[in-house]
Amino acid sequence: MTHTMPAETRLTPHRRPSAAIEVCVPFHDVDLLRMVWHGRYPKYFELARIALLARLGFDEASLYDEGYAFPIVDLRVRYLQAIRLAQRIIVRATLITTDPMLRMSYEIVDADNGERLTRASSTQVATDATSGQRLPASDPLHARVAAAIAALAAGSAA
């Protein structure tokens, strides 16, 4: 039996929900050169992603309690310029596609001058928290995500 994955739902730019957070780079995130260590960037992406999911009405702890998990299966980072100790940055997460995977893009900019410092993307899959198996497209969670995006888009159009 062949398992067919449904085509992804690519959101049009005006329907792409996003959220941004501001961070003042702390000492424990930098290396000896006082630049953010490359392994710390995913933490910033995660914080922005959590803010985006909250904007959509989702909380990962509650989703886990309902039996869902969202492991990241792909992460790509493009370091454009170094981020330094005590620098104020804005990290934006934007949802690009859904069904069956969540694909997000990220951008880090300097909070003072808007200069782009980093860009990245991640892909997550919805899975059963116990078995780790991917959820079928028919799972009600996919409809909940679509409804949340539509509600957010309708609210921002008003």
Side-chain angles (χ1 to χ4, degrees):
M1 179 172 166
T2 304
H3 178 70
T4 306
M5 295 297 287
E8 67 184 24
T9 303
R10 188 167 192 81
L11 302 173
T12 56
H14 71 280
R15 289 198 61 204
R16 290 181 181 162
S18 66
I21 60 162
E22 185 170 315
V23 175
C24 183
V25 175
F27 177 76
H28 61 264
D29 281 355
V30 299
D31 60 19
L32 291 173
L33 300 175
R34 295 188 176 187
M35 294 187 294
V36 172
W37 177 64
H38 71 278
R40 295 287 188 221
Y41 286 73
K43 176 179 78 171
Y44 300 147
F45 305 146
E46 175 79 1
L47 293 170
R49 187 180 62 76
I50 288 168
L52 173 54
L53 291 175
R55 219 177 146 217
L56 290 169
F58 294 100
D59 164 16
E60 274 201 71
S62 297
L63 287 170
Y64 187 82
D65 290 343
E66 292 177 39
Y68 299 111
F70 291 89
I72 291 181
V73 296
D74 187 54
L75 176 65
R76 296 166 194 239
V77 183
R78 182 88 171 147
Y79 304 96
L80 304 173
Q81 292 189 43
I83 299 174
R84 303 196 177 275
L85 175 65
Q87 184 173 4
R88 289 183 332 106
I89 58 174
I90 296 172
V91 185
R92 176 172 301 282
T94 303
L95 185 58
I96 303 299
T97 62
T98 63
D99 287 340
M101 298 181 190
L102 296 179
R103 288 197 168 105
M104 304 221 184
S105 69
Y106 307 92
E107 181 178 58
I108 300 178
V109 299
D110 182 281
D112 295 323
N113 63 25
E115 190 169 8
R116 189 186 316 181
L117 306 169
T118 308
R119 64 177 190 240
S121 64
S122 69
T123 303
Q124 293 176 259
V125 294
T127 65
D128 178 282
T130 304
S131 71
Q133 296 296 311
R134 288 186 182 191
L135 297 179
S138 60
D139 191 275
L141 179 62
H142 295 299
R144 285 172 56 195
V145 170
I149 292 168
L152 187 63
S156 62

